């Protein structure tokens, strides 16, 4: 295996040789003597016939040398992929399983000894032209790993630069400044490759730590949910205990749901598959809602020494903007959640500063523990957390700020942070927005009125037994008449009763038919029947698709019993 010492030994011979042939012979000898490879030889392209010819002084066996010449003379080598990689585009070639690769079929039996299983070929470049190649073989399959190839690529680059230097000296064309420039470039490229390697290793370490942390973060609430469910099943629980266990199960389930949503969202942000769904919202009203939510949250957490301050511009209207409200709101909630988590006393402020030229600048600030200067640079990277101590003391997955950055960029803006340890933190984020066209005020109907549900019938189309049981309990408590179909076929058998049905709750994932196709069938028979679809996919991903297909609304799983008013999430 190529290592730094061997690489250093080869580089030393560069400075001791001023003849190209001697340099290549000595390089080949050093590699061969290292014992790291089963076979090493260097070939030079014959300018007369364009074929690669091995240097005989590489001390390869005569029998093998003859087979190489045979393959080259038969003009078979030029048509192979390795040759195309090296001569046409100047890239290295590696194959870790020669005998099972169809590319080598037809000439490998003549040109490659059976004991050799892996091959790596690195081009030699002189004046931007391929003049030869270094061939390395191993009797082991899968011999050439990523780190090995990185060092071999450095060797190939250095050897090519050394050939350039010798040629330049021989031709007396290269001046001293040009040589110094090449040496600097060589050093820069080496440093760049080493930095890339270090970054790759660091990213792999962070991913491993992230997965370990995710395992802990997922298993911890699961442990509580399973444990308290077992306790809840015992018959000797008091009413207070049953209520406490139920609340803990709900709390841990909500935490687990939020964690799963974050993991799914960061995956979509990382693969650039997040759609935008723009709608009009009153910015001041949205901030007022957040203010109420987080005042209650501070009270629930008994953080009475924190003042929550909402800052808005003094505008006469509600200041309506058109943007992806879900993503905009999530940036605020993630930042506010962080402020609540890392602040014990003082104040938390949030709001917006300006809204000029369709660019909105928002902020969230606190007087919490702050962030160290060294941690700011990578604060928004996936898998990053400020430090291990914060993770242990406060619990964190390292996803919230990465999601904030991804959402801000999707909305045409960015995010930055100002912070000092023990003094507090301020996040600023911007987004592009559009002002909606003026419209007549909408006439709002009075809120929910009492309904006589016992006069209504609902058709539930669902294949999951647990979901059916859950919804049956909820809907029957409301006095509703309930019909159940487990698949598309059973639904079709109930088409004759559609006139008696007031609403359909339809699951999108059925075993025998696509949910949207079933919606179209039902609507073709009775257009006015309300259909509410249930989906385990996030609303923002498929909501528009549902409505375009004729659905009257949609709700997302999981839903709680207090959401039993069908269509609470419908839009």
């Amino acid at each position: 295996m190529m290592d730094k010492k061997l690489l250093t030994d080869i580089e030393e011979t560069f400075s001791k040789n001023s003849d190209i042939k001697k340099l290549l012979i000595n390089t080949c000898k050093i590699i061969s003597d290292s014992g790291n490879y089963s076979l090493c030889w260097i070939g030079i392209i014959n300018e007369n016939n364009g074929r690669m010819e091995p240097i005989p002084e590489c001390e390869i066996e005569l029998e093998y040398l003859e087979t190489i010449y045979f393959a080259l003379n038969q003009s078979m080598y030029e048509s192979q992929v390795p040759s195309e990689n090296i001569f046409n585009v100047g890239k290295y070639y590696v194959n870790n399983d020669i005998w099972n690769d169809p590319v080598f079929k037809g000439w490998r039996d003549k040109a490659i000894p059976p004991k050799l299983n892996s091959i790596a070929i690195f081009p030699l470049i002189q004046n931007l032209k391929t003049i030869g190649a270094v061939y390395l073989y191993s009797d082991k399959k899968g011999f050439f790993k990523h780190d090995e190839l990185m060092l071999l690529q450095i060797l190939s680059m250095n050897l090519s630069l050394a050939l350039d230097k010798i040629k330049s000296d021989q031709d007396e064309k290269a001046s001293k400044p040009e040589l110094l420039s090449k040496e600097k470039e060589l050093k820069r490229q080496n440093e760049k490759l080493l930095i890339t390697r270090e970054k790759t290793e660091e990213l792999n370490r962070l991913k491993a730590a992230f997965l370990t942390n995710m395992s802990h973060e997922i298993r911890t609430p699961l442990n509580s949910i399973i444990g308290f469910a077992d306790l809840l099943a015992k018959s000797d629980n008091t009413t207070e205990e049953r209520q406490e266990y139920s609340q803990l199960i709900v709390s841990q389930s909500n935490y687990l749901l939020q964690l799963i949503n974050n993991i799914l969202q960061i995956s979509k942000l990382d693969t650039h598959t997040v759609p935008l769904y723009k709608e009009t919202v009153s910015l001041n009203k949205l901030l007022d809602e957040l203010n109420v939510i987080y005042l209650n949250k501070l009270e629930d957490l008994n953080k009475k020494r924190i003042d929550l301050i909402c800052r808005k511009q003094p505008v006469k209207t509600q200041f309506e903007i058109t943007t992806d409200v879900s993503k905009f709101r999530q940036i605020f909630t993630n930042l506010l959640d962080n402020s609540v988590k890392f602040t014990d006393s003082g104040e938390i402020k949030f709001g917006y500063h300006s809204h000029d030229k369709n660019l909105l600048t928002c902020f969230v600030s606190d007087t919490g523990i702050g962030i160290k200067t060294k941690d700011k640079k990578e604060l928004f990277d996936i898998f990053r957390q400020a430090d291990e101590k914060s993770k242990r003391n406060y619990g964190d997955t390292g996803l919230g700020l990465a999601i904030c950055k991804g959402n801000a960029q999707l909305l045409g803006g960015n995010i930055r942070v100002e912070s000092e340890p023990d003094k507090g933190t301020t996040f600023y984020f911007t987004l592009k927005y559009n002002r909606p066209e003026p419209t007549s005020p909408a006439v709002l109907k009075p809120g929910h009125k009492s309904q006589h549900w016992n006069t209504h019938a609902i058709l539930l189309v669902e294949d999951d037994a647990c979901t059916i049981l859950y919804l049956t309990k909820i809907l029957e408590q409301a006095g509703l008449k309930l019909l159940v179909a487990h698949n598309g076929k059973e639904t079709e058998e109930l088409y004759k009763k559609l006139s008696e049905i007031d609403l359909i709750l339809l699951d999108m994932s059925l075993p025998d038919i696509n949910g949207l196709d079933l919606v179209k069938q039902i609507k073709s028979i009775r257009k006015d029947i309300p259909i509410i679809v249930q989906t385990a996919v996030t609303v923002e991903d498929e909501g528009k698709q549902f409505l375009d297909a004729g659905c009257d609304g949609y709700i997302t799983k999981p839903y709680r019993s207090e959401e039993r008013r069908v269509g609470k999430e419908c839009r």
Side-chain angles (χ1 to χ4, degrees):
M1 178 180 175
M2 177 66 64
D3 54 31
K4 291 184 178 180
K5 181 181 183 306
L6 182 56
L7 190 61
T8 301
D9 293 340
I10 295 172
E11 289 179 346
E12 287 179 357
T13 196
F14 294 168
S15 60
K16 297 177 182 179
N17 290 276
S18 58
D19 179 81
I20 290 178
K21 189 173 182 180
K22 288 183 179 179
L23 173 62
L24 296 177
I25 292 171
N26 289 338
T27 300
C28 186
K29 187 175 187 307
I30 292 173
I31 296 175
S32 298
D33 291 346
S34 70
N36 294 334
Y37 306 97
S38 302
L39 178 63
C40 167
W41 63 276
I42 297 178
I44 298 295
I45 296 176
N46 187 318
E47 294 183 355
N48 296 323
N49 56 29
R51 294 194 180 99
M52 185 78 73
E53 296 182 354
I55 299 175
E57 290 83 352
C58 279
E59 299 182 357
I60 59 179
E61 297 177 5
L62 180 60
E63 180 182 355
Y64 178 69
L65 185 59
E66 290 175 351
T67 61
I68 288 292
Y69 274 122
F70 174 83
L72 298 176
N73 291 336
Q74 290 293 315
S75 301
M76 301 172 72
Y77 196 80
E78 287 87 339
S79 64
Q80 304 304 317
V81 171
S83 176
E84 292 174 357
N85 275 340
I86 293 173
F87 303 133
N88 295 346
V89 295
K91 293 184 178 179
Y92 72 83
Y93 174 81
V94 62
N95 192 310
N96 278 313
D97 195 359
I98 297 171
W99 297 98
N100 290 319
D101 192 333
V103 169
F104 286 84
K105 186 176 182 181
W107 68 282
R108 61 189 171 199
D109 293 336
K110 299 176 182 178
I112 300 178
K115 65 179 181 179
L116 302 179
N117 288 293
S118 298
I119 182 174
I121 309 172
F122 290 81
L124 298 177
I125 311 295
Q126 188 178 78
N127 295 328
L128 304 178
K129 180 181 177 182
T130 302
I131 65 165
V134 178
Y135 294 75
L136 299 169
Y137 299 81
S138 174
D139 58 355
K140 299 176 181 177
K141 290 183 180 180
F143 178 80
F144 295 100
K145 302 294 193 299
H146 174 72
D147 289 351
E148 174 87 351
L149 293 173
M150 292 280 287
L151 293 174
L152 287 171
Q153 192 174 6
I154 292 175
L155 167 63
S156 174
M157 291 168 54
N158 292 352
L159 186 54
S160 295
L161 289 172
L163 293 173
D164 270 349
K165 182 176 182 300
I166 293 174
K167 182 64 176 176
S168 298
D169 289 339
Q170 290 174 342
D171 296 342
E172 297 181 353
K173 293 180 179 179
S175 63
K176 187 175 181 179
E178 290 174 331
L179 291 176
L180 289 175
S181 176
K182 288 181 179 180
E183 289 176 358
K184 288 180 180 179
E185 178 64 16
L186 169 62
K187 182 178 180 181
R188 188 190 69 81
Q189 290 182 0
N190 287 349
E191 290 175 349
K192 186 177 179 180
L193 285 170
L194 291 174
I195 289 172
T196 300
R197 179 182 174 184
E198 290 172 358
K199 285 185 176 180
T200 301
E201 291 174 349
E202 174 67 2
L203 181 60
N204 289 335
R205 184 191 69 79
L206 288 171
K207 285 183 177 180
F210 172 79
L211 291 175
T212 300
N213 186 39
M214 283 300 99
S215 176
H216 170 77
E217 293 292 331
I218 291 173
R219 289 175 180 273
T220 298
L222 274 177
N223 182 65
S224 298
I225 292 169
I226 295 171
F228 285 112
D230 287 341
L231 290 175
L232 197 60
K234 296 182 181 297
S235 58
D236 58 349
N237 293 319
T238 65
T239 302
E240 290 77 11
E241 287 175 334
R242 294 179 67 85
Q243 184 177 4
E244 180 185 7
Y245 299 160
S246 299
Q247 289 174 347
L248 288 169
I249 290 173
V250 171
S251 173
Q252 292 299 298
S253 297
N254 289 337
Y255 172 80
L256 186 60
L257 176 61
Q258 181 182 6
L259 177 60
I260 292 171
N261 287 338
N262 284 345
I263 294 173
L264 293 175
Q265 184 168 1
I266 205 67
S267 174
K268 292 178 182 178
L269 287 170
D270 195 35
T271 55
H272 308 288
T273 57
V274 182
L276 286 175
Y277 296 99
K278 293 187 177 182
E279 56 184 310
T280 299
V281 66
S282 166
L283 180 58
N284 289 345
K285 185 177 179 181
L286 186 147
L287 293 179
D288 289 339
E289 291 175 357
L290 290 174
N291 191 51
V292 172
I293 291 171
Y294 282 89
L295 281 173
N296 291 332
K297 189 166 189 174
L298 289 172
E299 184 178 350
D300 292 341
L301 294 173
N302 199 28
K303 290 198 171 187
K304 300 179 180 179
R305 296 188 298 164
I306 298 177
D307 293 324
L308 184 65
I309 303 171
C310 179
R311 291 284 172 86
K312 301 174 291 186
Q313 293 291 320
V315 291
K316 296 180 181 179
T317 65
Q318 285 295 323
F319 185 34
E320 291 185 334
I321 63 172
T322 300
T323 185
D324 190 311
V325 179
S326 175
K327 294 177 179 59
F328 176 53
R329 184 187 185 100
Q330 188 177 28
I331 298 174
F332 261 121
T333 56
N334 283 4
L335 295 178
L336 285 168
D337 284 341
N338 271 3
S339 292
V340 171
K341 183 187 301 182
F342 297 112
T343 305
D344 291 325
S345 62
E347 61 184 23
I348 296 174
K349 298 179 183 178
F350 71 101
Y352 60 95
H353 281 147
S354 61
H355 47 89
D356 298 330
K357 298 180 180 179
N358 296 98
L359 187 69
L360 185 68
T361 301
C362 305
F363 71 94
V364 175
S365 68
D366 61 60
T367 55
I369 63 174
I371 302 168
K372 297 177 183 177
T373 302
K374 67 181 182 66
D375 294 325
K376 292 180 186 177
K377 184 178 179 181
E378 298 170 329
L379 190 63
F380 299 100
D381 291 350
I382 302 175
F383 314 129
R384 293 281 185 177
Q385 292 172 314
D387 54 48
E388 291 296 319
K389 182 179 179 181
S390 295
K391 183 175 71 175
R392 291 192 300 269
N393 291 345
Y394 298 95
D396 194 17
T397 61
L399 297 178
L401 292 179
I403 291 174
C404 288
K405 179 182 178 181
N407 282 347
Q409 291 176 341
L410 281 172
L411 298 177
N414 217 324
I415 188 169
R416 62 185 178 89
V417 62
E418 295 178 1
S419 182
E420 291 185 41
D422 302 321
K423 291 186 178 181
T425 302
T426 301
F427 287 94
Y428 297 95
F429 65 94
T430 58
L431 76 151
K432 292 181 180 179
Y433 70 96
N434 296 318
R435 296 296 299 271
E437 296 294 330
T439 57
S440 301
V443 178
L444 300 179
K445 295 181 179 180
H448 297 286
K449 295 182 178 180
S450 60
Q451 299 285 341
H452 299 289
W453 292 108
N454 55 0
T455 63
H456 295 284
I458 289 182
L459 171 60
L460 174 62
V461 184
E462 173 66 66
D463 64 323
D464 180 67
C466 290
T467 302
I468 292 173
L469 177 61
Y470 176 65
L471 288 176
T472 299
K473 291 291 184 183
I474 292 175
L475 297 174
E476 286 181 349
Q477 287 175 5
L480 287 160
K481 180 182 178 181
L482 186 65
L483 300 175
V484 178
H486 298 84
N487 49 50
K489 183 179 179 181
E490 292 183 12
T491 304
E492 293 171 359
E493 292 173 357
L494 293 172
Y495 281 173
K496 56 182 178 291
K497 294 186 177 181
L498 283 181
S499 60
E500 305 171 13
I501 296 172
D502 298 290
L503 182 112
I504 297 177
L505 272 179
L506 174 67
D507 183 59
M508 280 288 97
S509 300
L510 296 173
D512 58 347
I513 190 172
N514 179 279
L516 293 181
D517 292 337
L518 193 58
V519 169
K520 294 175 183 177
Q521 287 183 20
I522 296 172
K523 286 289 187 178
S524 67
I525 300 172
R526 183 184 163 191
K527 189 176 181 179
D528 65 332
I529 189 169
I531 300 178
I532 307 299
V533 298
Q534 309 170 72
T535 176
V537 184
T538 57
V539 168
E540 66 178 68
D541 287 342
E542 293 193 1
K544 189 174 184 301
Q545 180 186 1
F546 296 151
L547 298 179
D548 290 344
C551 302
D552 297 277
Y554 47 85
I555 54 177
T556 56
K557 298 177 180 179
Y559 32 74
R560 303 173 181 85
S561 59
E562 61 265 24
E563 293 171 354
R564 58 181 174 268
R565 293 192 310 273
V566 175
K568 180 178 179 182
E569 295 185 33
C570 301
R571 307 185 183 183

